[in-house]
Amino acid sequence: MSTVTVTLPDGTPLEVERGSTVEDVAYEIGPGLGDDTVAGVVDGELVDKHAPLTADVELEIVTESSDEYLDVLRHSAAHVFAQALQRLYPDAKLTIGPWTDNGFYYDITGVDIDEDDLEAIEAEAEEIIEEDLDIERELLDREDAFERYEDNPFKQDILETEAADDEVVSFYTQGEFEDLCQGPHVESTGEIGGFALLEISAAFWRGEEENETLTRVYGTAFPTEDALDEFLEQRRKAEERDHRKIGQEMDLFSIDETTGPGLPLYEPNGKKILNELSDYVAGLNRDAGYDEVETPHVFRTELWKKSGHYENYVDDMFLLDVNDEEYGLKPMNCPGHATIFEQNSWSYRDLPVRYFEDGKVYRKEQRGELSGLSRTWAFTIDDGHLFVRPDQIEEEVLATVDIILDTLDTFNLDYTVQFATRPEKSVGGDEIWEKAESQLEAVLDEQDIDYVVEEGDGAFYGPKIDFAFEDALGRHWDGPTVQLDFNMPERFDLSYTGEDNEEHRPVMIHRALYGSYERFFMVLTEHYNGKFPPWLAPEQIRLLPVSDDNIAYCEQIQEELDDFRVTIEDRSWTVGKKIQQAHDDRVPYMCVIGDNEEEAGTISVRDRKEREEKDIDIAEFRDHLETEVEQQRTAVTFLAGR
């Protein structure tokens, strides 16, 4: 019998008989590992331990100690939910139920349930877990599978698409329940230690809006109850910091179905924060030698065809017919910047050329994927594009990474870094890829940055460095990026005259410091829990007159502090209520102004940490606040240590 080569994580090759399963290989390595095997990762894909190996592969054995074990457990938890649902609602039809980063979901139809029904379904699921049912894999001819699902068009659709080339398909059974599924799964329902159903939403079959609307039930599972409790507590904290909730409380932004989904409306408070963010990043760009440019919101689609984006993005583009000519709202800014570069003649002495733009872009995400500011149809990218000689790549990437690190430090954000290398399908020669990758890696090493190498995860047009924000709750969000691009200069025939008087092709660098303003705004709102640093806060100082007689003095103070965003609380409330409202509104500083302060020409200062001091000189307070804002401190510090 012929053999295949299995390459283990440490690089060791192992010859096994063709058709051997993941579990067979584990036993070949050692009986203990074979007994502990739950699943396998074959060429990066999580598979059942009974999956046969028919070609040379890279293989990692998954056990209970593996990171992937949680995915397997949650996949089984999705089946537990489905079984519980059908015990209580026999008419329920199942569609798909994958694991996710935080748990699982299952899309269902044929039954009308809401949030109030989850408790009963969860209780039934707990019974199934308690029953400790064996989870067994069954192979069935594809045609027989069609017969089993003669009344379920969704499962038939799966058989006609994902399983179209399979003569035999797999089912998983536990007790009376069975489901068409590729796996993998744990050995029994009893392995699930903690189980919870979280919420319900609507979803479209296959994510396509023209398809049937389904009910999506989200849940999660963990090996232990303690791990589940920790997750639920983290979720509770996240709900308290939800930017949609805080945005409404602080009048930052809104999304109105009347104007359209995924199209945020920034209210005055939100726009003040956006302006500060824009001014900050514009200052960094100008100091780094970038020139500001501006491109329109709409282009002829010929531009996107020229850049190569049309074929990849056309389904996500908003297209317009203008006098029988096709236009599109721009899904990205880079083709416009490449066109600006193209319209000029450049010498090698002129490079690098650096452009920046706060460019609004539009991408037609599925409605079910839209969520507050994290996923929108319209968003603004703090885009930067550099056109450099190949010998300038390392220097420019180093400078860009320096700016990104300064930005992260300014906002007191932790981060993780991924270095993504050449994918299987790419443009550009081996030499330029190898040199570019070595230059990017040299930058990360020079900066002493911890990073993870994502082999083959680069863009088809070049390697990249991605930064992910880590917020106060330890969650990660896509953020800054540095990407090399060998493709667009080729497509736009960009060139510069070299020292040899010959035409040469520049390399393009895509760069963003925030990513998008919308997502960054979301991250900051939740990271700070709405308690923005004083320099960012939409309202920096609120003056609280003890009575209407003190309003005139408050107006005088407001003039003396006119470099800041200052308001006067002139509603006929008690001082206690005014203070409480200012705290609820997360205002950094409150100044209580009564007769004593007015007679002395001073103020009483209180901050949102509930520290307070009386008889403060106005000039002293103003000078400190100027320093606090100028240094972009993240905390209120005037009363600290006094």
Side-chain angles (χ1 to χ4, degrees):
M1 181 178 284
S2 61
T3 62
V4 296
T5 301
V6 173
T7 303
L8 302 178
D10 63 358
T12 302
L14 184 65
E15 295 289 328
V16 299
E17 291 184 358
R18 187 182 304 274
S20 297
T21 66
V22 170
E23 188 176 45
D24 291 336
V25 175
Y27 275 112
E28 183 77 17
I29 298 170
L33 183 62
D35 291 342
D36 292 341
T37 298
V38 175
V41 178
V42 176
D43 289 339
E45 181 181 356
L46 188 59
V47 302
D48 189 278
K49 65 181 181 180
H50 299 109
L53 306 176
T54 58
D56 294 348
V57 297
E58 294 182 356
L59 172 64
E60 178 182 351
I61 303 299
V62 174
T63 67
E64 288 187 13
S65 62
S66 304
D67 292 340
E68 294 82 2
Y69 175 70
L70 195 54
D71 294 335
V72 181
L73 185 81
R74 287 169 170 171
H75 196 191
S76 299
H79 279 209
V80 167
F81 157 74
Q83 183 177 10
L85 177 75
Q86 290 194 319
R87 282 185 178 182
L88 298 178
Y89 302 91
D91 292 335
K93 280 189 172 61
L94 307 177
T95 66
I96 56 172
W99 69 83
T100 67
D101 289 343
N102 293 314
F104 64 86
Y105 69 80
Y106 216 117
D107 288 346
I108 61 173
T109 188
V111 61
D112 183 18
I113 62 172
D114 58 28
E115 300 276 354
D116 293 337
D117 299 309
L118 295 186
E119 184 177 352
I121 300 171
E122 186 176 306
E124 186 63 37
E126 295 287 359
E127 289 290 332
I128 294 169
I129 293 170
E130 187 68 25
E131 291 171 23
D132 195 19
L133 301 173
D134 290 338
I135 301 175
E136 298 177 336
R137 184 171 183 255
E138 175 190 3
L139 297 179
L140 199 67
D141 288 341
R142 186 166 166 273
E143 294 306 316
D144 291 337
F146 268 107
E147 291 181 12
R148 288 196 183 185
Y149 287 121
E150 60 182 357
D151 63 344
N152 189 325
F154 306 99
K155 296 295 189 182
Q156 288 191 359
D157 186 31
I158 294 171
L159 289 168
E160 290 171 347
T161 51
E162 289 93 335
D165 297 329
D166 298 332
E167 294 182 5
V168 174
V169 296
S170 58
F171 280 72
Y172 284 81
T173 63
Q174 51 199 52
E176 82 287 354
F177 175 80
E178 66 178 12
D179 199 5
L180 174 69
C181 182
Q182 289 184 310
H185 289 279
V186 295
E187 290 291 322
S188 75
T189 60
E191 289 192 35
I192 300 170
F195 179 95
L197 297 180
L198 304 174
E199 59 184 308
I200 287 181
S201 70
F204 297 106
W205 172 241
R206 300 292 194 186
E208 300 292 338
E209 293 185 21
E210 64 272 13
N211 289 343
E212 183 173 339
T213 301
L214 307 171
T215 298
R216 176 169 292 180
V217 179
Y218 289 93
T220 193
F222 290 87
T224 67
E225 281 285 354
D226 287 345
L228 173 64
D229 290 343
E230 183 179 339
F231 168 83
L232 293 177
E233 175 63 15
Q234 185 85 341
R235 179 180 169 84
R236 184 192 63 77
K237 291 179 180 178
E239 288 173 350
E240 289 179 357
R241 292 171 177 255
D242 191 311
H243 71 286
R244 294 164 295 187
K245 170 178 168 286
I246 295 172
Q248 186 175 22
E249 293 170 351
M250 297 182 66
D251 296 325
L252 301 178
F253 73 93
S254 61
I255 297 177
D256 194 309
E257 282 296 320
T258 304
T259 59
L263 302 172
L265 304 171
Y266 289 99
E267 299 176 37
N269 281 347
K271 185 59 179 173
K272 288 170 187 172
I273 295 174
L274 285 179
N275 286 341
E276 291 290 347
L277 292 174
S278 180
D279 289 346
Y280 169 73
V281 83
L284 293 177
N285 284 322
R286 293 191 179 99
D287 289 346
Y290 286 74
D291 291 315
E292 187 170 12
V293 297
E294 183 173 324
T295 57
H297 292 244
V298 61
F299 286 104
R300 294 174 62 222
T301 53
E302 291 304 313
L303 178 71
W304 312 115
K305 293 174 183 177
K306 182 177 182 179
S307 68
H309 289 104
Y310 187 87
E311 58 188 280
N312 294 315
Y313 276 92
V314 64
D315 291 339
D316 297 327
M317 290 178 66
F318 292 91
L319 301 176
L320 310 168
D321 187 299
V322 182
N323 298 326
D324 295 326
E325 192 169 15
E326 190 177 55
Y327 285 74
L329 295 177
K330 62 179 179 180
M332 67 283 297
N333 299 302
C334 41
H337 293 190
T339 302
I340 294 173
F341 184 90
E342 179 189 20
Q343 292 172 345
N344 294 276
S345 298
W346 304 96
S347 162
Y348 70 96
R349 297 186 185 90
D350 299 319
L351 271 58
V353 172
R354 310 180 187 95
Y355 297 143
F356 82 94
E357 174 184 16
D358 283 347
K360 182 78 76 177
V361 298
Y362 304 85
R363 297 179 190 172
K364 192 168 55 178
E365 303 275 4
Q366 296 294 336
R367 289 195 182 206
E369 297 175 347
L370 300 176
S371 178
L373 297 179
S374 64
R375 296 291 289 271
T376 59
W377 277 355
F379 55 97
T380 302
I381 301 176
D382 68 304
D383 244 334
H385 291 99
L386 302 86
F387 302 88
V388 306
R389 304 189 309 263
D391 65 287
Q392 295 172 320
I393 290 175
E394 185 170 344
E395 179 182 358
E396 290 301 311
V397 170
L398 180 61
T400 300
V401 169
D402 276 338
I403 298 173
I404 290 173
L405 295 178
D406 286 345
T407 302
L408 294 167
D409 183 61
T410 295
F411 295 99
N412 194 29
L413 286 165
D414 292 329
Y415 58 90
T416 58
V417 181
Q418 294 78 41
F419 169 48
T421 62
R422 186 179 189 176
E424 187 175 337
K425 294 183 179 180
S426 61
V427 296
D430 293 344
E431 183 178 349
I432 193 168
W433 267 92
E434 290 170 5
K435 185 173 183 180
E437 288 178 353
S438 67
Q439 289 173 315
L440 292 190
E441 200 153 20
V443 168
L444 294 172
D445 292 337
E446 183 173 335
Q447 292 280 8
D448 197 25
I449 295 174
D450 291 330
Y451 61 93
V452 175
V453 178
E454 300 286 356
E455 295 288 353
D457 206 32
F460 73 93
Y461 49 74
K464 60 179 181 173
I465 301 171
D466 288 329
F467 292 75
F469 303 120
E470 182 175 337
D471 68 12
L473 296 181
R475 299 170 301 179
H476 291 86
W477 306 95
D478 291 342
T481 186
V482 186
Q483 303 181 5
L484 300 189
D485 188 344
F486 314 125
N487 179 56
M488 199 166 297
E490 192 75 32
R491 282 182 169 269
F492 281 78
D493 196 25
L494 304 183
S495 66
Y496 64 91
T497 303
E499 195 171 4
D500 57 2
N501 286 323
E502 298 291 331
E503 293 297 298
H504 296 267
R505 190 78 69 204
V507 175
M508 190 173 179
I509 301 177
H510 305 255
R511 176 241 68 180
L513 305 182
Y514 296 149
S516 79
Y517 276 89
E518 280 66 22
R519 180 164 291 180
F520 193 61
F521 197 140
M522 177 211 72
V523 170
L524 293 183
T525 301
E526 298 191 359
H527 180 65
Y528 297 129
N529 198 16
K531 297 175 182 178
F532 293 98
W535 70 277
L536 271 183
E539 181 184 0
Q540 295 166 318
I541 307 166
R542 185 176 296 180
L543 306 179
L544 311 179
V546 173
S547 72
D548 290 350
D549 294 338
N550 306 121
I551 289 178
Y553 181 51
C554 285
E555 290 172 345
Q556 177 184 330
I557 296 171
Q558 189 177 35
E559 289 183 11
E560 293 189 48
L561 299 173
D562 62 357
D563 286 340
F564 307 102
R565 294 183 284 277
V566 185
T567 63
I568 299 174
E569 177 56 89
D570 57 5
R571 286 175 285 191
S572 299
W573 290 351
T574 65
V575 173
K577 185 173 181 179
K578 291 179 178 181
I579 291 173
Q580 184 60 55
Q581 187 61 54
H583 276 293
D584 291 346
D585 292 342
R586 301 167 171 86
V587 180
Y589 289 105
M590 296 141 262
C591 297
V592 179
I593 310 298
D595 293 340
N596 292 337
E597 286 79 14
E598 187 167 353
E599 290 172 8
T602 61
I603 55 177
S604 293
V605 177
R606 182 184 179 94
D607 66 23
R608 63 186 172 207
K609 289 182 174 287
E610 301 187 14
R611 297 174 295 206
E612 187 173 13
E613 187 169 334
K614 298 181 179 180
D615 299 322
I616 298 294
D617 181 74
I618 297 173
E620 179 190 0
F621 179 58
R622 183 188 61 236
D623 291 346
H624 176 92
L625 211 56
E626 284 177 353
T627 301
E628 199 168 284
V629 169
E630 183 180 342
Q631 294 180 354
Q632 294 163 329
R633 298 177 187 172
T634 56
V636 288
T637 58
F638 178 69
L639 296 176
R642 290 178 69 92

PDB file of all heavy atoms in Angstrom, residues 358-374:
ATOM      1  N   ASP A 358      -8.128  61.611   5.561  1.00  0.00           N
ATOM      2  CA  ASP A 358      -9.238  61.013   6.289  1.00  0.00           C
ATOM      3  C   ASP A 358     -10.322  60.754   5.257  1.00  0.00           C
ATOM      4  O   ASP A 358     -11.161  61.614   4.981  1.00  0.00           O
ATOM      5  CB  ASP A 358      -9.748  61.947   7.390  1.00  0.00           C
ATOM      6  CG  ASP A 358      -8.835  61.963   8.608  1.00  0.00           C
ATOM      7  OD1 ASP A 358      -7.958  61.092   8.698  1.00  0.00           O
ATOM      8  OD2 ASP A 358      -8.995  62.855   9.456  1.00  0.00           O
ATOM      9  N   GLY A 359     -10.291  59.567   4.672  1.00  0.00           N
ATOM     10  CA  GLY A 359     -11.141  59.268   3.521  1.00  0.00           C
ATOM     11  C   GLY A 359     -12.351  58.428   3.886  1.00  0.00           C
ATOM     12  O   GLY A 359     -12.212  57.323   4.415  1.00  0.00           O
ATOM     13  N   LYS A 360     -13.522  58.955   3.588  1.00  0.00           N
ATOM     14  CA  LYS A 360     -14.764  58.209   3.813  1.00  0.00           C
ATOM     15  C   LYS A 360     -14.900  57.136   2.739  1.00  0.00           C
ATOM     16  O   LYS A 360     -14.746  57.405   1.552  1.00  0.00           O
ATOM     17  CB  LYS A 360     -15.956  59.153   3.756  1.00  0.00           C
ATOM     18  CG  LYS A 360     -17.300  58.498   4.035  1.00  0.00           C
ATOM     19  CD  LYS A 360     -17.518  58.276   5.529  1.00  0.00           C
ATOM     20  CE  LYS A 360     -17.882  59.552   6.239  1.00  0.00           C
ATOM     21  NZ  LYS A 360     -18.176  59.344   7.669  1.00  0.00           N
ATOM     22  N   VAL A 361     -15.191  55.902   3.170  1.00  0.00           N
ATOM     23  CA  VAL A 361     -15.385  54.793   2.240  1.00  0.00           C
ATOM     24  C   VAL A 361     -16.698  54.085   2.571  1.00  0.00           C
ATOM     25  O   VAL A 361     -17.269  54.259   3.655  1.00  0.00           O
ATOM     26  CB  VAL A 361     -14.207  53.786   2.282  1.00  0.00           C
ATOM     27  CG1 VAL A 361     -12.910  54.465   1.872  1.00  0.00           C
ATOM     28  CG2 VAL A 361     -14.070  53.161   3.654  1.00  0.00           C
ATOM     29  N   TYR A 362     -17.152  53.259   1.625  1.00  0.00           N
ATOM     30  CA  TYR A 362     -18.465  52.628   1.749  1.00  0.00           C
ATOM     31  C   TYR A 362     -18.354  51.162   1.328  1.00  0.00           C
ATOM     32  O   TYR A 362     -17.887  50.860   0.230  1.00  0.00           O
ATOM     33  CB  TYR A 362     -19.485  53.339   0.854  1.00  0.00           C
ATOM     34  CG  TYR A 362     -19.585  54.822   1.126  1.00  0.00           C
ATOM     35  CD1 TYR A 362     -18.695  55.722   0.522  1.00  0.00           C
ATOM     36  CD2 TYR A 362     -20.542  55.326   2.009  1.00  0.00           C
ATOM     37  CE1 TYR A 362     -18.769  57.078   0.784  1.00  0.00           C
ATOM     38  CE2 TYR A 362     -20.625  56.683   2.268  1.00  0.00           C
ATOM     39  CZ  TYR A 362     -19.734  57.554   1.661  1.00  0.00           C
ATOM     40  OH  TYR A 362     -19.813  58.902   1.920  1.00  0.00           O
ATOM     41  N   ARG A 363     -18.804  50.279   2.208  1.00  0.00           N
ATOM     42  CA  ARG A 363     -18.802  48.855   1.889  1.00  0.00           C
ATOM     43  C   ARG A 363     -20.125  48.254   2.348  1.00  0.00           C
ATOM     44  O   ARG A 363     -20.527  48.429   3.496  1.00  0.00           O
ATOM     45  CB  ARG A 363     -17.619  48.136   2.553  1.00  0.00           C
ATOM     46  CG  ARG A 363     -16.279  48.638   2.048  1.00  0.00           C
ATOM     47  CD  ARG A 363     -15.105  47.947   2.714  1.00  0.00           C
ATOM     48  NE  ARG A 363     -13.856  48.611   2.392  1.00  0.00           N
ATOM     49  CZ  ARG A 363     -12.681  48.332   2.947  1.00  0.00           C
ATOM     50  NH1 ARG A 363     -12.598  47.375   3.865  1.00  0.00           N
ATOM     51  NH2 ARG A 363     -11.589  48.998   2.607  1.00  0.00           N
ATOM     52  N   LYS A 364     -20.765  47.543   1.460  1.00  0.00           N
ATOM     53  CA  LYS A 364     -22.114  47.036   1.693  1.00  0.00           C
ATOM     54  C   LYS A 364     -22.063  45.709   2.445  1.00  0.00           C
ATOM     55  O   LYS A 364     -22.251  44.638   1.883  1.00  0.00           O
ATOM     56  CB  LYS A 364     -22.853  46.898   0.362  1.00  0.00           C
ATOM     57  CG  LYS A 364     -24.347  46.650   0.495  1.00  0.00           C
ATOM     58  CD  LYS A 364     -25.074  46.821  -0.838  1.00  0.00           C
ATOM     59  CE  LYS A 364     -24.494  45.954  -1.924  1.00  0.00           C
ATOM     60  NZ  LYS A 364     -25.214  46.077  -3.204  1.00  0.00           N
ATOM     61  N   GLU A 365     -21.833  45.803   3.749  1.00  0.00           N
ATOM     62  CA  GLU A 365     -21.850  44.620   4.592  1.00  0.00           C
ATOM     63  C   GLU A 365     -23.276  44.064   4.665  1.00  0.00           C
ATOM     64  O   GLU A 365     -24.254  44.801   4.499  1.00  0.00           O
ATOM     65  CB  GLU A 365     -21.383  44.973   6.007  1.00  0.00           C
ATOM     66  CG  GLU A 365     -20.000  45.604   6.085  1.00  0.00           C
ATOM     67  CD  GLU A 365     -18.894  44.586   6.116  1.00  0.00           C
ATOM     68  OE1 GLU A 365     -19.199  43.384   6.002  1.00  0.00           O
ATOM     69  OE2 GLU A 365     -17.727  44.987   6.252  1.00  0.00           O
ATOM     70  N   GLN A 366     -23.396  42.769   4.928  1.00  0.00           N
ATOM     71  CA  GLN A 366     -24.718  42.192   5.159  1.00  0.00           C
ATOM     72  C   GLN A 366     -25.333  42.836   6.402  1.00  0.00           C
ATOM     73  O   GLN A 366     -24.648  43.095   7.393  1.00  0.00           O
ATOM     74  CB  GLN A 366     -24.617  40.681   5.357  1.00  0.00           C
ATOM     75  CG  GLN A 366     -24.103  39.928   4.143  1.00  0.00           C
ATOM     76  CD  GLN A 366     -25.065  39.981   2.965  1.00  0.00           C
ATOM     77  OE1 GLN A 366     -26.255  40.184   3.139  1.00  0.00           O
ATOM     78  NE2 GLN A 366     -24.542  39.811   1.764  1.00  0.00           N
ATOM     79  N   ARG A 367     -26.640  43.089   6.344  1.00  0.00           N
ATOM     80  CA  ARG A 367     -27.290  43.774   7.462  1.00  0.00           C
ATOM     81  C   ARG A 367     -27.094  43.038   8.775  1.00  0.00           C
ATOM     82  O   ARG A 367     -26.937  43.659   9.829  1.00  0.00           O
ATOM     83  CB  ARG A 367     -28.786  43.944   7.180  1.00  0.00           C
ATOM     84  CG  ARG A 367     -29.089  44.952   6.093  1.00  0.00           C
ATOM     85  CD  ARG A 367     -30.538  45.331   6.107  1.00  0.00           C
ATOM     86  NE  ARG A 367     -30.838  46.270   5.040  1.00  0.00           N
ATOM     87  CZ  ARG A 367     -31.826  47.140   5.073  1.00  0.00           C
ATOM     88  NH1 ARG A 367     -32.616  47.179   6.128  1.00  0.00           N
ATOM     89  NH2 ARG A 367     -32.051  47.959   4.072  1.00  0.00           N
ATOM     90  N   GLY A 368     -27.109  41.717   8.725  1.00  0.00           N
ATOM     91  CA  GLY A 368     -26.945  40.951   9.950  1.00  0.00           C
ATOM     92  C   GLY A 368     -25.569  41.094  10.573  1.00  0.00           C
ATOM     93  O   GLY A 368     -25.376  40.747  11.739  1.00  0.00           O
ATOM     94  N   GLU A 369     -24.592  41.601   9.806  1.00  0.00           N
ATOM     95  CA  GLU A 369     -23.237  41.762  10.313  1.00  0.00           C
ATOM     96  C   GLU A 369     -22.984  43.166  10.858  1.00  0.00           C
ATOM     97  O   GLU A 369     -21.948  43.420  11.453  1.00  0.00           O
ATOM     98  CB  GLU A 369     -22.230  41.450   9.202  1.00  0.00           C
ATOM     99  CG  GLU A 369     -22.299  40.000   8.717  1.00  0.00           C
ATOM    100  CD  GLU A 369     -21.370  39.741   7.540  1.00  0.00           C
ATOM    101  OE1 GLU A 369     -20.877  40.726   6.965  1.00  0.00           O
ATOM    102  OE2 GLU A 369     -21.154  38.571   7.209  1.00  0.00           O
ATOM    103  N   LEU A 370     -23.935  44.089  10.629  1.00  0.00           N
ATOM    104  CA  LEU A 370     -23.770  45.457  11.099  1.00  0.00           C
ATOM    105  C   LEU A 370     -23.954  45.501  12.609  1.00  0.00           C
ATOM    106  O   LEU A 370     -24.845  44.857  13.153  1.00  0.00           O
ATOM    107  CB  LEU A 370     -24.783  46.378  10.426  1.00  0.00           C
ATOM    108  CG  LEU A 370     -24.709  46.454   8.896  1.00  0.00           C
ATOM    109  CD1 LEU A 370     -25.837  47.317   8.360  1.00  0.00           C
ATOM    110  CD2 LEU A 370     -23.365  46.995   8.438  1.00  0.00           C
ATOM    111  N   SER A 371     -23.107  46.268  13.287  1.00  0.00           N
ATOM    112  CA  SER A 371     -23.189  46.346  14.750  1.00  0.00           C
ATOM    113  C   SER A 371     -22.578  47.649  15.234  1.00  0.00           C
ATOM    114  O   SER A 371     -21.349  47.794  15.258  1.00  0.00           O
ATOM    115  CB  SER A 371     -22.472  45.156  15.388  1.00  0.00           C
ATOM    116  OG  SER A 371     -22.502  45.247  16.791  1.00  0.00           O
ATOM    117  N   GLY A 372     -23.434  48.599  15.606  1.00  0.00           N
ATOM    118  CA  GLY A 372     -22.929  49.856  16.133  1.00  0.00           C
ATOM    119  C   GLY A 372     -21.894  50.469  15.222  1.00  0.00           C
ATOM    120  O   GLY A 372     -22.064  50.539  14.001  1.00  0.00           O
ATOM    121  N   LEU A 373     -20.770  50.883  15.811  1.00  0.00           N
ATOM    122  CA  LEU A 373     -19.675  51.459  15.029  1.00  0.00           C
ATOM    123  C   LEU A 373     -18.637  50.410  14.635  1.00  0.00           C
ATOM    124  O   LEU A 373     -17.702  50.731  13.904  1.00  0.00           O
ATOM    125  CB  LEU A 373     -18.985  52.572  15.830  1.00  0.00           C
ATOM    126  CG  LEU A 373     -19.833  53.797  16.178  1.00  0.00           C
ATOM    127  CD1 LEU A 373     -19.014  54.793  16.982  1.00  0.00           C
ATOM    128  CD2 LEU A 373     -20.388  54.460  14.923  1.00  0.00           C
ATOM    129  N   SER A 374     -18.792  49.172  15.103  1.00  0.00           N
ATOM    130  CA  SER A 374     -17.785  48.161  14.806  1.00  0.00           C
ATOM    131  C   SER A 374     -17.890  47.665  13.374  1.00  0.00           C
ATOM    132  O   SER A 374     -16.884  47.321  12.751  1.00  0.00           O
ATOM    133  CB  SER A 374     -17.887  46.991  15.784  1.00  0.00           C
ATOM    134  OG  SER A 374     -19.120  46.319  15.636  1.00  0.00           O
TER     135      SER A 374
END
